[in-house]
Amino acid sequence: MYLKYIQLISDDDRGNLASQSLCMTEMFLWELGKRIQTKDCEAVVFICGSFRDYKLINTSKNEPDILFLKNTYELEVPFCYSDFENATNKKKILADTLEKAMLYLCELKNWDSQRVKATFKKMKEKEYKAEIKGKTKLSPDKKKKAYPLLQLDLKQFTLYLVVEDKKRNIIDKKLIAETDTYLEEISYHMRELKWLTDKEVALFKRAHKTVYTSIRL
């Protein structure tokens, strides 16, 4: 078992923290990969609020519900939402909050804290610009490759279709969609990537009829 879901939430902000923090939690999980092995935890929910200290309040092993997996930890995390709301460096605040909470869990559960620190160092080096590169597909003639590129921000997710040559030079890049910060909404545009010919690649939507956006070279 490994850690694969993380969420930051606040009880009194109408879901704003959960929505804006998704870019940082997803970036952390992407950069981390399947490198945190656990005995009984697949997901962590950090409940952010006016708490005095970090506290593990639940390690659910019941059946999963609509929101959470079967093996979910819940922790209280000290956090001032009003300060965050008025800040200009929101991504750094979110990353720092997540790092401190994760390191608390590492110490508590004997997880690999060095991997966590290394991941946040990498995120900082990338200036917290969250980009997730989808699975690459070669063209039939093996001369080009294409992939979806997802950019995550505080209030918007942006999806591109990218085509590169063998030397990783970008031949073309096309905007596919801009959505709110919901993975389900952006995933609607990412059902399948397929080369139609040597000179046309398409990204299909999750629609009842065949709908796609393509790049013709």
Side-chain angles (χ1 to χ4, degrees), residues 8 17-25 48 79 84 89-100 120 123 128 154:
L8 294 173
L17 182 63
S19 174
Q20 293 187 53
S21 64
L22 199 58
C23 60
M24 287 296 95
T25 54
C48 302
F79 188 84
F84 169 76
N89 58 338
K90 287 186 176 182
K91 288 184 180 180
K92 184 179 186 305
I93 292 173
L94 291 170
D96 288 346
T97 299
L98 183 58
E99 181 175 13
K100 290 175 183 176
F120 281 104
M123 290 170 63
Y128 305 113
L154 293 164

Side-chain angles (χ1 to χ4, degrees), residues 33-55:
K34 300 178 182 179
R35 296 190 180 98
I36 292 291
Q37 300 296 319
T38 72
K39 294 180 180 179
D40 61 355
C41 180
E42 293 178 273
V44 181
V45 178
F46 294 113
I47 303 168
C48 302
S50 55
F51 306 111
R52 295 184 64 183
D53 206 348
Y54 299 89
K55 183 180 180 182

Side-chain angles (χ1 to χ4, degrees), residues 194-209:
K194 184 177 181 180
W195 283 90
L196 305 180
T197 68
D198 283 333
K199 295 185 177 181
E200 185 177 12
V201 61
L203 190 58
F204 288 79
K205 297 181 180 181
R206 300 180 187 276
H208 294 298
K209 60 181 180 178

Side-chain angles (χ1 to χ4, degrees), residues 106-150:
C106 287
E107 183 176 357
L108 193 67
K109 294 294 180 177
N110 197 30
W111 292 353
D112 190 344
S113 62
Q114 293 306 311
R115 289 193 183 276
V116 170
K117 290 177 182 178
T119 300
F120 281 104
K121 182 181 179 182
K122 187 185 297 185
M123 290 170 63
K124 184 177 181 179
E125 290 171 351
K126 293 185 176 182
E127 298 180 334
Y128 305 113
K129 293 179 181 177
E131 288 191 339
I132 296 177
K133 181 179 176 181
K135 189 175 180 180
T136 298
K137 281 201 173 181
L138 282 172
S139 59
D141 61 8
K142 311 297 184 183
K143 294 181 179 180
K144 301 171 289 293
K145 60 183 179 180
Y147 56 88
L149 180 66
L150 182 58

Side-chain angles (χ1 to χ4, degrees), residues 13-95:
D13 69 343
R14 299 181 180 179
N16 289 331
L17 182 63
S19 174
Q20 293 187 53
S21 64
L22 199 58
C23 60
M24 287 296 95
T25 54
E26 289 299 312
M27 184 180 187
F28 171 69
L29 289 168
W30 174 258
E31 298 292 349
L32 178 70
K34 300 178 182 179
R35 296 190 180 98
I36 292 291
Q37 300 296 319
T38 72
K39 294 180 180 179
D40 61 355
C41 180
E42 293 178 273
V44 181
V45 178
F46 294 113
I47 303 168
C48 302
S50 55
F51 306 111
R52 295 184 64 183
D53 206 348
Y54 299 89
K55 183 180 180 182
L56 180 62
I57 59 174
N58 188 31
T59 55
S60 173
K61 295 182 181 179
N62 299 321
E63 289 302 312
D65 59 24
I66 295 175
L67 297 176
F68 303 126
L69 295 174
K70 180 178 178 180
N71 301 294
T72 298
Y73 286 4
E74 294 180 55
L75 286 89
E76 293 178 345
V77 174
F79 188 84
C80 180
Y81 183 76
S82 60
D83 288 349
F84 169 76
E85 192 174 26
N86 299 316
T88 56
N89 58 338
K90 287 186 176 182
K91 288 184 180 180
K92 184 179 186 305
I93 292 173
L94 291 170

Side-chain angles (χ1 to χ4, degrees), residues 148-150 157-161 174-177 186 189-190 203:
L149 180 66
L150 182 58
F157 289 172
T158 307
L159 176 65
Y160 295 94
L161 178 56
K174 189 170 189 176
L175 175 65
I176 301 297
I186 199 70
H189 303 274
M190 302 172 63
L203 190 58

